[in-house]
Amino acid sequence: MPDTALDSRISSEPTTSDSATSLAPAAVPAGTGGATIQLLDVTKSYPGQVAPAVDHITLEIAAGEIVVLVGPSGCGKTTTMKMINRLIEPTSGQILIGGTDVLKLDADEHRRNVGYVIQQTGLFPHMRIAENIGLVPRMLGWSKRRTADRVEELLEVVGLPPGEYARRYPRELSGGQQQRVGVARALAADPPVMLMDEPFGATDPITRDRLQNEFLRLQREMGKTIVFVTHDFDEALKMGDRIAVLGPQSVIAQFDTPEAILAAPANDYVSSFIGSGGQLKRLGLMPLRDADLRPVPARKDLSQITIDASLHDALDLMLESGQDKVLVAADESGEGEVFGSIRLDDLMAAIADDSADDPSDDPTAKLDPSAGS
Amino acid sequence: MAPALVALDDVALDDPAVDTQQLATRGSGFWRRLMGLSVRPILLAAVLGMLYLWVQAQTLDSIERRVLNPHRIRIDLWDHVQLSLIATALTIVIAVPVGILLTRPFARWIKPIGLGLGNFGQAIPSIGLIVLLALWLGIGFWTAVIGLVVYATLPILRNTIVGLDGVDPALKEAARGMGMSRLAVLGRVELPLAVPVILAGVRTALVLTVATATLATFIDAGGLGGGLVAGIKLNRPALSLTFGVLAAVLALFADWVGGIAEEVLRPRGL
């Protein structure tokens, strides 16, 4: 039932793992794209426990893809992730990154080539921001000059002007700023693979939303392969190219695109995880940009919505304005170009025939829609 | 492992605002604490001045003069300082590494034993400990040093363990997750973060050692205890008072130096 048939695509993705030796490029932060990650029949059991913490999981993640592991507390999702950078050693099974068996590598060396972001930021309070970010490059033997340049570049990338922040200590930054530094630190040596353990979980909802958006924008340029762990299904919907819904012992209940999971939950467990409002969430994943708009009607008293919004936003505006259609424009002010209109019927139609339809041209969605179940 | 230990102090960017930011980092609290720390030496100097005036006002007999003269005081004071510093330094050299070892995962099971031995050392009456050691090793300076080391081990050992155990496990895991070796995690993350707690233990040990070193005179190891004991034996209270006050002032001064060290050596950013 879990859908992991990705092999054909995996081989076609460019996979480079010599990131440590690539010179940092000027404009775009990342020189290296992602690498494939394959977990083959991986099990983790602890002595003295009858049931394994992770029971024979097989998961194949394409290069440049964000896969979210989502599940309730204690389901083994974090354990699964930590086995990828070997903070937890698997009891059995194979883990391949870019085709290399990481269990055969030196664990410390391996971890230097895997970015790691945790919820509590993990910044070292006695080191300045620049030192925190420069740690991994220095361990990899980069020169001080090159490291300093990279640190400066990354601080720019995450929106913290180096002149102001490089010499500060972590406690002098807000929670959101610290988390950005955490992301910058994980990216420092330009690793092909990043592991993110509830990276935005400790921030307030507004900051979290902004960090998520910034990170998705960044990822669009970087194309890292990312394993993202969360217990928040809405965050999973937002961040994931594909979502693995995990049950107890990290058993995959469903592994698919957010759209496909919402449209056709594999079983009651997945449905319960989606919770109420599944169809509304589906609308939230459908951008107006991709919708078939109707011609601009003659009426001019309609509310306007920006084309960057989703069908869910459009529905919300209909309910708010009490009209069954809204205008879709370049912006909300009423001055920009009006592209067309959309009606309540269109939203219903979109939900009804979405399942077979690729809902998105999003460049980050590298997945073949036929992979949907 | 080696590159992981390379100092990173110079991953700095040219930034004109650095100086003001450093000041801001140390913060006004830093200077206020330093101000607070300057009160102690002034008070101690006042006590010494009063002691001097009081001694000057006494008429000393020949016995008192033999003990209570600048030359003798200087020798005793120097012996006392030497005893205390050497004993404290040895204690640090022994207790900190042992504390580190006892916090490593492979040694956790012997931690209670180590702490128990430290407790044992401190639970024995100090005078008894020193005399017992003298019976075993003979009298003299080094026997006194050994006694003081046994006595002062516990605070440093305990604080090293508490300090290292108190480091946020998430930080240790982040360090491991970044690819630091265990040794690098210890040297670059755990120890720096435990420094304030360890230093507090060193400070306690130092004061304890200075105070206990007055007993060294019983095994002929010198120190300010000599004059104090002579005063009691010969029924010359002026001697006991003078040397007692000197020892107390020295202990308080040592505590003050320890406070300065804590202030200066505490990692910034904490």
Side-chain angles (χ1 to χ4, degrees):
Chain A
M1 176 171 308
D3 183 354
T4 55
L6 275 168
D7 311 70
S8 56
R9 215 169 14 261
I10 287 167
S11 53
S12 65
E13 289 290 338
T15 58
T16 42
S17 53
D18 58 340
S19 58
T21 54
S22 71
L23 276 168
V28 180
T32 320
T36 56
I37 304 174
Q38 291 162 282
L39 278 72
L40 303 176
D41 209 19
V42 174
T43 295
K44 176 67 190 180
S45 41
Y46 291 99
Q49 288 180 8
V50 184
V54 173
D55 194 6
H56 296 282
I57 188 171
T58 294
L59 194 65
E60 308 207 5
I61 300 169
E65 171 180 44
I66 303 183
V67 165
V68 180
L69 307 182
V70 66
S73 304
C75 72
K77 56 191 190 296
T78 298
T79 306
T80 303
M81 192 197 74
K82 282 181 181 170
M83 285 194 284
I84 296 173
N85 69 353
R86 291 178 60 194
L87 280 175
I88 295 173
E89 296 284 355
T91 310
S92 67
Q94 260 195 318
I95 298 175
L96 310 177
I97 293 183
T100 309
D101 184 350
V102 303
L103 299 178
K104 294 203 170 83
L105 302 175
D106 176 81
D108 290 336
E109 298 276 349
H110 165 55
R111 291 189 196 115
R112 287 172 203 165
N113 290 309
V114 176
Y116 186 43
V117 187
I118 61 175
Q119 178 178 345
Q120 307 88 336
T121 77
L123 297 185
F124 303 122
H126 60 298
M127 296 183 191
R128 297 175 191 281
I129 299 307
E131 287 175 74
N132 264 293
I133 299 176
L135 273 169
V136 177
R138 293 293 286 155
M139 282 192 278
L140 288 168
W142 291 22
S143 71
K144 287 173 189 169
R145 187 70 254 168
R146 183 176 166 209
T147 305
D149 289 345
R150 177 68 175 162
V151 167
E152 202 162 343
E153 176 186 75
L154 281 168
L155 279 172
E156 297 279 6
V157 164
V158 297
L160 300 171
E164 196 178 337
Y165 291 97
R167 305 269 309 162
R168 291 203 190 176
Y169 287 99
R171 63 141 193 218
E172 297 169 308
L173 270 57
S174 70
Q177 288 171 332
Q178 289 186 22
Q179 204 49 268
R180 288 177 206 198
V181 175
V183 170
R185 185 171 73 173
L187 288 171
D190 195 18
V193 169
M194 279 177 77
L195 309 179
M196 307 181 81
D197 192 356
E198 307 212 15
F200 311 128
T203 48
D204 63 85
I206 295 168
T207 309
R208 187 183 316 152
D209 194 53
R210 192 158 59 214
L211 288 172
Q212 288 168 341
N213 293 337
E214 282 176 15
F215 187 75
L216 286 173
R217 176 181 52 75
L218 208 59
Q219 165 65 1
R220 227 162 280 146
E221 297 168 28
M222 301 184 305
K224 302 290 181 196
T225 308
I226 294 165
V227 179
F228 191 109
V229 163
T230 183
H231 61 261
D232 176 354
F233 192 72
D234 290 322
E235 183 172 48
L237 289 178
K238 180 167 183 181
M239 302 304 289
D241 294 325
R242 281 193 299 168
I243 299 172
V245 183
L246 301 181
Q249 295 163 15
S250 216
V251 170
I252 300 176
Q254 190 169 10
F255 182 35
D256 216 324
T257 61
E259 294 81 2
I261 289 178
L262 286 176
N267 52 36
D268 289 347
Y269 176 79
V270 176
S271 304
S272 73
F273 217 80
I274 295 170
S276 61
Q279 302 312 316
L280 288 174
K281 288 171 186 171
R282 285 177 68 194
L283 284 178
L285 292 172
M286 300 175 187
L288 277 170
R289 200 175 285 285
D290 298 335
D292 295 325
L293 298 182
R294 293 168 185 270
V296 182
R299 291 170 61 186
K300 285 293 170 200
D301 59 340
L302 293 171
S303 299
Q304 278 195 14
I305 190 163
T306 156
I307 190 140
D308 295 322
S310 67
L311 297 194
H312 183 273
D313 298 322
L315 175 63
D316 194 57
L317 188 64
M318 288 176 201
L319 294 171
E320 187 186 324
S321 63
Q323 293 160 329
D324 68 349
K325 62 177 125 173
V326 290
L327 296 178
V328 179
D331 56 49
E332 287 158 19
S333 66
E335 317 218 328
E337 185 192 349
V338 176
F339 300 111
S341 69
I342 190 159
R343 286 171 38 174
L344 193 54
D345 312 358
D346 303 333
L347 305 185
M348 292 180 185
I351 287 291
D353 66 16
D354 173 60
S355 301
D357 192 46
D358 183 1
S360 163
D361 305 332
D362 189 331
T364 58
K366 300 199 175 211
L367 279 152
D368 189 325
S370 65
S373 55
Chain B
M1 174 170 19
L5 286 164
V6 170
L8 278 181
D9 307 62
D10 25 25
V11 185
L13 304 166
D14 302 319
D15 176 10
V18 159
D19 286 343
T20 53
Q21 274 178 9
Q22 274 175 336
L23 282 179
T25 303
R26 289 240 145 162
S28 55
F30 175 76
W31 297 109
R32 203 176 316 121
R33 283 199 295 278
L34 270 193
M35 289 280 281
L37 283 170
S38 67
V39 172
R40 177 80 63 88
I42 295 169
L43 281 178
L44 293 181
V47 168
L48 286 179
M50 271 151 51
L51 180 68
Y52 179 76
L53 291 176
W54 181 78
V55 170
Q56 288 298 311
Q58 307 293 309
T59 41
L60 302 174
D61 61 23
S62 64
I63 296 173
E64 286 170 327
R65 271 200 301 274
R66 200 181 303 155
V67 182
L68 201 53
N69 65 66
H71 178 66
R72 174 72 194 273
I73 290 176
R74 215 176 297 133
I75 291 175
D76 286 350
L77 187 65
W78 179 234
D79 281 350
H80 204 101
V81 169
Q82 264 188 313
L83 268 176
S84 309
L85 287 185
I86 291 176
T88 308
L90 273 177
T91 314
I92 295 172
V93 168
I94 295 166
V96 172
V98 171
I100 291 171
L101 277 178
L102 291 183
T103 52
R104 298 306 96 189
F106 60 82
R108 288 203 177 264
W109 60 277
I110 38 171
K111 189 159 74 176
I113 303 173
L115 275 176
L117 283 177
N119 273 320
F120 184 67
Q122 205 170 35
I124 309 172
S126 39
I127 179 84
L129 179 69
I130 285 180
V131 170
L132 278 175
L133 280 172
L135 289 175
W136 178 32
L137 301 169
I139 59 171
F141 182 82
W142 287 104
T143 305
V145 166
I146 293 170
L148 291 174
V149 167
V150 172
Y151 197 55
T153 296
L154 179 67
I156 299 184
L157 180 64
R158 188 182 49 207
N159 279 40
T160 303
I161 291 173
V162 168
L164 289 173
D165 280 347
V167 174
D168 184 353
L171 286 181
K172 288 187 261 187
E173 192 171 84
R176 292 290 287 153
M178 292 170 72
M180 282 194 202
S181 65
R182 288 191 191 283
L183 203 60
V185 176
L186 174 69
R188 305 212 44 202
V189 178
E190 292 184 74
L191 279 177
L193 292 175
V195 155
V197 184
I198 296 175
L199 280 179
V202 170
R203 185 177 172 184
T204 308
L206 186 64
V207 175
L208 212 59
T209 307
V210 171
T212 313
T214 48
L215 301 175
T217 184
F218 289 116
I219 56 167
D220 198 26
L224 292 168
L228 204 153
V229 172
I232 296 169
K233 280 201 286 210
L234 304 171
N235 193 25
R236 295 291 189 282
L239 295 183
S240 298
L241 184 85
T242 307
F243 281 87
V245 170
L246 283 176
V249 167
L250 188 61
L252 288 169
F253 182 73
D255 179 59
W256 177 76
V257 172
I260 300 268
E262 280 182 38
E263 210 53 66
V264 173
L265 296 178
R266 182 212 315 266
R268 300 215 243 141
L270 295 187

